[in-house]
Amino acid sequence: MEGILSNKQIVVMGVANKRSIAWGCAQAMEKQGATVIYTYQNERMKKSVSRLVGDEKRLVECDVANDDSIQTAFRAIKQRFGKVDGMVHAIAYAKKEELSGSILNVSREGYALAQNVSAYSLIAVAKAAHELDLLNDPASIATLTYFGSERAIPNYNVMGIAKAALEASVRYLARDMGSLGVRVNAISAGAMKTLAVTGIDNHSDLLKMSQERTTDGQSITLEEIGGTCAFLMSDLSKGIAGDVIYVDKGVHLI
Protein backbone atom coordinates (compact mmCIF):
# COMPACT_ATOMS: atom_id res chain seq x y z
CA MET A 1 0.00 0.00 0.00
CA GLU A 2 1.43 3.38 -1.01
CA GLY A 3 1.88 6.11 1.57
CA ILE A 4 0.69 9.70 1.36
CA LEU A 5 4.19 10.83 0.33
CA SER A 6 4.93 8.26 -2.35
CA ASN A 7 7.10 9.69 -5.13
CA LYS A 8 7.78 12.88 -3.17
CA GLN A 9 11.21 14.28 -2.32
CA ILE A 10 11.55 16.28 0.89
CA VAL A 11 14.51 18.26 2.25
CA VAL A 12 14.93 18.08 6.03
CA MET A 13 17.15 20.68 7.67
CA GLY A 14 18.19 20.34 11.30
CA VAL A 15 18.75 16.71 12.27
CA ALA A 16 21.28 16.59 15.12
CA ASN A 17 20.74 13.07 16.49
CA LYS A 18 18.07 10.39 16.89
CA ARG A 19 16.24 12.49 19.49
CA SER A 20 15.84 15.46 17.13
CA ILE A 21 12.30 16.41 16.18
CA ALA A 22 13.65 16.76 12.64
CA TRP A 23 14.64 13.08 12.75
CA GLY A 24 11.16 12.11 13.95
CA CYS A 25 9.71 14.06 11.04
CA ALA A 26 12.09 12.43 8.56
CA GLN A 27 11.28 8.94 9.81
CA ALA A 28 7.53 9.54 9.59
CA MET A 29 7.88 10.86 6.05
CA GLU A 30 10.03 7.96 4.92
CA LYS A 31 7.41 5.55 6.28
CA GLN A 32 4.91 7.34 4.06
CA GLY A 33 7.06 6.78 1.00
CA ALA A 34 9.10 10.00 0.76
CA THR A 35 12.71 10.25 -0.33
CA VAL A 36 14.31 12.43 2.36
CA ILE A 37 17.35 14.61 1.66
CA TYR A 38 19.23 15.79 4.75
CA THR A 39 21.25 18.96 5.21
CA TYR A 40 23.86 19.42 7.94
CA GLN A 41 25.66 22.53 9.15
CA ASN A 42 29.31 21.40 9.11
CA GLU A 43 31.60 18.37 9.17
CA ARG A 44 31.08 17.83 12.90
CA MET A 45 27.32 17.62 12.43
CA LYS A 46 27.76 15.42 9.37
CA LYS A 47 29.30 12.73 11.57
CA SER A 48 26.17 12.65 13.73
CA VAL A 49 23.76 12.57 10.79
CA SER A 50 25.83 9.96 8.96
CA ARG A 51 25.26 7.54 11.82
CA LEU A 52 21.53 7.74 11.08
CA VAL A 53 21.59 8.05 7.29
CA GLY A 54 23.77 5.60 5.42
CA ASP A 55 23.27 7.08 1.96
CA GLU A 56 25.98 9.72 1.39
CA LYS A 57 24.16 11.03 -1.68
CA ARG A 58 21.28 12.24 0.51
CA LEU A 59 23.56 14.30 2.78
CA VAL A 60 24.25 17.91 1.78
CA GLU A 61 26.19 20.55 3.72
CA CYS A 62 24.24 23.76 4.36
CA ASP A 63 24.92 26.52 6.88
CA VAL A 64 21.71 28.56 6.98
CA ALA A 65 23.58 31.57 8.40
CA ASN A 66 25.45 31.87 5.10
CA ASP A 67 23.58 32.70 1.87
CA ASP A 68 26.35 31.30 -0.33
CA SER A 69 26.19 28.00 1.55
CA ILE A 70 22.42 27.81 1.04
CA GLN A 71 22.79 28.50 -2.68
CA THR A 72 25.53 25.88 -3.04
CA ALA A 73 23.50 23.30 -1.12
CA PHE A 74 20.32 23.84 -3.10
CA ARG A 75 22.18 23.69 -6.40
CA ALA A 76 23.68 20.36 -5.32
CA ILE A 77 20.26 19.05 -4.31
CA LYS A 78 18.72 20.05 -7.63
CA GLN A 79 21.60 18.52 -9.55
CA ARG A 80 21.32 15.20 -7.70
CA PHE A 81 17.56 14.90 -7.31
CA GLY A 82 15.85 17.47 -9.51
CA LYS A 83 13.05 19.55 -8.02
CA VAL A 84 11.67 18.71 -4.58
CA ASP A 85 8.18 18.68 -3.10
CA GLY A 86 8.86 20.17 0.30
CA MET A 87 11.26 21.42 2.95
CA VAL A 88 11.24 20.96 6.71
CA HIS A 89 13.07 23.77 8.53
CA ALA A 90 13.97 22.57 12.03
CA ILE A 91 16.80 24.93 12.90
CA ALA A 92 17.19 27.23 15.89
CA TYR A 93 20.07 28.52 18.00
CA ALA A 94 20.72 30.90 20.87
CA LYS A 95 23.61 31.32 23.26
CA LYS A 96 23.20 28.90 26.17
CA GLU A 97 23.97 31.60 28.73
CA GLU A 98 21.05 33.65 27.42
CA LEU A 99 18.54 30.84 27.95
CA SER A 100 18.31 31.39 31.68
CA GLY A 101 17.26 34.02 34.18
CA SER A 102 16.02 37.40 33.01
CA ILE A 103 15.45 38.66 29.47
CA LEU A 104 17.40 41.73 30.61
CA ASN A 105 20.55 39.63 30.41
CA VAL A 106 20.24 39.17 26.65
CA SER A 107 22.94 40.97 24.68
CA ARG A 108 22.44 42.79 21.39
CA GLU A 109 24.75 40.27 19.74
CA GLY A 110 22.90 37.31 21.24
CA TYR A 111 19.54 38.69 20.19
CA ALA A 112 20.71 39.18 16.60
CA LEU A 113 22.25 35.70 16.52
CA ALA A 114 19.04 34.02 17.70
CA GLN A 115 16.97 35.96 15.19
CA ASN A 116 19.34 35.24 12.32
CA VAL A 117 19.62 31.48 12.81
CA SER A 118 16.17 30.76 14.24
CA ALA A 119 13.91 33.09 12.25
CA TYR A 120 15.54 34.77 9.27
CA SER A 121 16.94 31.45 8.08
CA LEU A 122 13.43 30.33 7.12
CA ILE A 123 13.09 33.32 4.80
CA ALA A 124 16.62 32.74 3.50
CA VAL A 125 16.00 29.12 2.50
CA ALA A 126 12.58 29.91 1.02
CA LYS A 127 14.12 32.73 -1.02
CA ALA A 128 16.94 30.54 -2.31
CA ALA A 129 14.57 27.72 -3.18
CA HIS A 130 12.46 30.15 -5.20
CA GLU A 131 15.43 31.74 -6.96
CA LEU A 132 16.82 28.34 -7.97
CA ASP A 133 13.40 26.97 -8.95
CA LEU A 134 13.90 24.08 -6.54
CA LEU A 135 10.29 23.59 -5.46
CA ASN A 136 7.57 21.85 -7.40
CA ASP A 137 4.02 23.18 -7.71
CA PRO A 138 2.46 22.22 -5.36
CA ALA A 139 5.05 22.17 -2.59
CA SER A 140 5.07 22.58 1.17
CA ILE A 141 7.41 24.27 3.65
CA ALA A 142 7.08 23.53 7.37
CA THR A 143 9.05 24.92 10.29
CA LEU A 144 9.13 24.10 14.00
CA THR A 145 8.12 26.50 16.72
CA TYR A 146 7.14 26.35 20.40
CA PHE A 147 4.55 27.82 22.75
CA GLY A 148 7.21 30.12 24.20
CA SER A 149 6.49 32.38 21.23
CA GLU A 150 3.21 33.36 22.91
CA ARG A 151 3.82 32.97 26.63
CA ALA A 152 6.76 34.01 28.77
CA ILE A 153 8.06 30.53 29.49
CA PRO A 154 10.73 30.48 32.25
CA ASN A 155 14.27 30.71 30.82
CA TYR A 156 13.12 30.45 27.17
CA ASN A 157 13.76 34.18 26.83
CA VAL A 158 15.43 35.23 23.57
CA MET A 159 14.38 32.01 21.85
CA GLY A 160 10.75 32.78 22.57
CA ILE A 161 11.15 36.13 20.85
CA ALA A 162 12.86 34.46 17.89
CA LYS A 163 10.04 31.92 17.63
CA ALA A 164 7.49 34.74 17.59
CA ALA A 165 9.39 36.26 14.66
CA LEU A 166 9.51 32.84 13.00
CA GLU A 167 5.73 32.48 13.22
CA ALA A 168 5.24 35.95 11.75
CA SER A 169 7.62 34.96 8.95
CA VAL A 170 5.44 31.92 8.24
CA ARG A 171 2.42 34.13 7.70
CA TYR A 172 4.18 36.54 5.35
CA LEU A 173 5.85 33.74 3.42
CA ALA A 174 2.52 31.94 3.07
CA ARG A 175 1.00 35.13 1.66
CA ASP A 176 3.77 35.69 -0.87
CA MET A 177 4.49 32.10 -1.91
CA GLY A 178 0.92 30.92 -2.29
CA SER A 179 0.74 32.16 -5.88
CA LEU A 180 3.82 30.01 -6.58
CA GLY A 181 2.03 26.89 -5.40
CA VAL A 182 3.96 26.77 -2.12
CA ARG A 183 2.18 26.62 1.22
CA VAL A 184 4.06 27.52 4.40
CA ASN A 185 3.10 26.43 7.91
CA ALA A 186 4.55 25.86 11.37
CA ILE A 187 4.26 23.03 13.86
CA SER A 188 4.24 24.15 17.49
CA ALA A 189 5.67 21.05 19.10
CA GLY A 190 5.25 20.18 22.74
CA ALA A 191 8.29 20.13 25.00
CA MET A 192 10.29 16.93 24.88
CA LYS A 193 13.86 15.96 25.68
CA THR A 194 15.94 16.98 22.69
CA LEU A 195 19.43 18.44 22.37
CA ALA A 196 17.85 21.88 21.93
CA VAL A 197 15.76 21.63 25.11
CA THR A 198 18.73 20.57 27.24
CA GLY A 199 20.32 23.94 26.47
CA ILE A 200 17.58 25.69 28.48
CA ASP A 201 18.28 26.27 32.16
CA ASN A 202 16.16 24.00 34.41
CA HIS A 203 14.81 22.19 31.36
CA SER A 204 13.74 19.23 33.51
CA ASP A 205 11.19 21.49 35.25
CA LEU A 206 9.89 22.62 31.86
CA LEU A 207 9.47 19.03 30.68
CA LYS A 208 7.69 18.04 33.89
CA MET A 209 5.34 21.04 33.74
CA SER A 210 4.55 20.29 30.11
CA GLN A 211 3.74 16.64 30.77
CA GLU A 212 1.48 17.56 33.67
CA ARG A 213 -0.54 19.84 31.39
CA THR A 214 -1.12 17.41 28.53
CA THR A 215 -4.68 16.20 28.19
CA ASP A 216 -3.70 12.56 28.78
CA GLY A 217 -0.81 13.09 31.19
CA GLN A 218 1.67 11.69 28.70
CA SER A 219 4.45 13.59 26.95
CA ILE A 220 4.31 14.16 23.21
CA THR A 221 6.41 11.78 21.11
CA LEU A 222 8.61 12.12 18.04
CA GLU A 223 6.20 9.87 16.14
CA GLU A 224 3.23 12.13 16.90
CA ILE A 225 5.03 15.27 15.78
CA GLY A 226 6.43 13.45 12.76
CA GLY A 227 2.96 12.32 11.71
CA THR A 228 1.74 15.90 11.56
CA CYS A 229 4.79 16.90 9.54
CA ALA A 230 4.14 14.09 7.06
CA PHE A 231 0.56 15.32 6.68
CA LEU A 232 1.72 18.90 6.05
CA MET A 233 4.13 17.69 3.37
CA SER A 234 1.38 15.68 1.67
CA ASP A 235 -1.24 16.85 -0.82
CA LEU A 236 -3.86 16.24 1.89
CA SER A 237 -2.83 19.57 3.43
CA LYS A 238 -3.27 21.72 0.32
CA GLY A 239 -5.90 23.87 2.04
CA ILE A 240 -3.67 24.84 4.99
CA ALA A 241 -1.43 27.90 4.68
CA GLY A 242 0.11 30.33 7.14
CA ASP A 243 -1.02 28.36 10.19
CA VAL A 244 0.61 27.30 13.43
CA ILE A 245 -0.53 23.77 14.20
CA TYR A 246 -0.16 22.70 17.83
CA VAL A 247 1.13 19.19 18.39
CA ASP A 248 1.49 19.32 22.17
CA LYS A 249 -1.41 17.22 23.47
CA GLY A 250 -3.29 20.31 24.57
CA VAL A 251 -0.63 22.01 26.68
CA HIS A 252 -1.41 25.33 24.96
CA LEU A 253 -5.04 25.08 26.14
CA ILE A 254 -4.21 25.53 29.81
Side-chain angles (χ1 to χ4, degrees):
M1 184 176 179
E2 290 190 347
I4 61 174
L5 295 176
S6 293
N7 302 316
K8 289 192 180 292
Q9 300 186 127
I10 311 294
V11 178
V12 174
M13 316 181 79
V15 172
N17 55 41
K18 65 181 181 180
R19 289 184 175 179
S20 299
I21 293 177
W23 179 243
C25 291
Q27 290 297 282
M29 292 188 294
E30 288 191 347
K31 287 180 181 178
Q32 291 297 329
T35 297
V36 178
I37 303 150
Y38 299 84
T39 71
Y40 57 90
Q41 181 186 11
N42 50 39
E43 283 300 313
R44 181 179 62 84
M45 294 303 300
K46 182 181 181 180
K47 292 179 181 178
S48 298
V49 182
S50 295
R51 296 189 188 103
L52 303 173
V53 183
D55 185 359
E56 183 83 12
K57 180 183 176 183
R58 293 190 290 128
L59 300 179
V60 181
E61 183 172 354
C62 181
D63 181 353
V64 297
N66 185 304
D67 290 329
D68 290 339
S69 179
I70 297 171
Q71 290 272 337
T72 299
F74 285 4
R75 286 195 188 97
I77 289 170
K78 191 172 183 181
Q79 183 179 26
R80 294 180 200 176
F81 299 93
K83 297 176 73 168
V84 302
D85 303 286
M87 298 195 307
V88 178
H89 172 276
I91 297 171
Y93 181 77
K95 292 182 176 181
K96 182 177 175 63
E97 61 268 25
E98 297 190 347
L99 294 175
S100 64
S102 170
I103 191 65
L104 298 177
N105 297 329
V106 174
S107 65
R108 186 182 298 273
E109 177 192 7
Y111 184 97
L113 176 64
Q115 288 286 344
N116 185 26
V117 177
S118 310
Y120 178 73
S121 63
L122 177 66
I123 297 175
V125 299
K127 179 180 179 180
H130 171 57
E131 291 175 346
L132 296 173
D133 193 27
L134 180 63
L135 296 171
N136 278 318
D137 178 0
S140 175
I141 296 175
T143 189
L144 288 169
T145 186
Y146 174 62
F147 190 42
S149 63
E150 298 180 45
R151 303 291 176 87
I153 302 295
N155 299 313
Y156 201 58
N157 295 355
V158 70
M159 187 57 73
I161 297 170
K163 291 297 188 184
L166 179 69
E167 292 176 17
S169 300
V170 165
R171 291 186 283 272
Y172 282 97
L173 283 170
R175 180 197 68 184
D176 293 341
M177 299 191 79
S179 61
L180 306 172
V182 181
R183 57 196 186 277
V184 185
N185 294 285
I187 296 171
S188 184
M192 59 183 302
K193 192 169 183 179
T194 62
L195 182 64
V197 167
T198 57
I200 301 170
D201 197 26
N202 295 323
H203 64 271
S204 58
D205 293 338
L206 174 62
L207 293 170
K208 181 181 178 182
M209 177 180 67
S210 182
Q211 181 174 343
E212 289 173 348
R213 296 187 180 193
T214 60
T215 53
D216 64 0
Q218 301 296 317
S219 295
I220 198 72
T221 67
L222 285 180
E223 291 78 13
E224 289 161 343
I225 299 170
T228 300
C229 185
F231 163 70
L232 285 176
M233 290 294 112
S234 78
D235 291 343
L236 296 175
S237 68
K238 281 184 180 179
I240 302 175
D243 276 344
V244 176
I245 299 177
Y246 295 91
V247 189
D248 64 0
K249 290 193 171 182
V251 171
H252 69 285
L253 302 174
I254 302 171

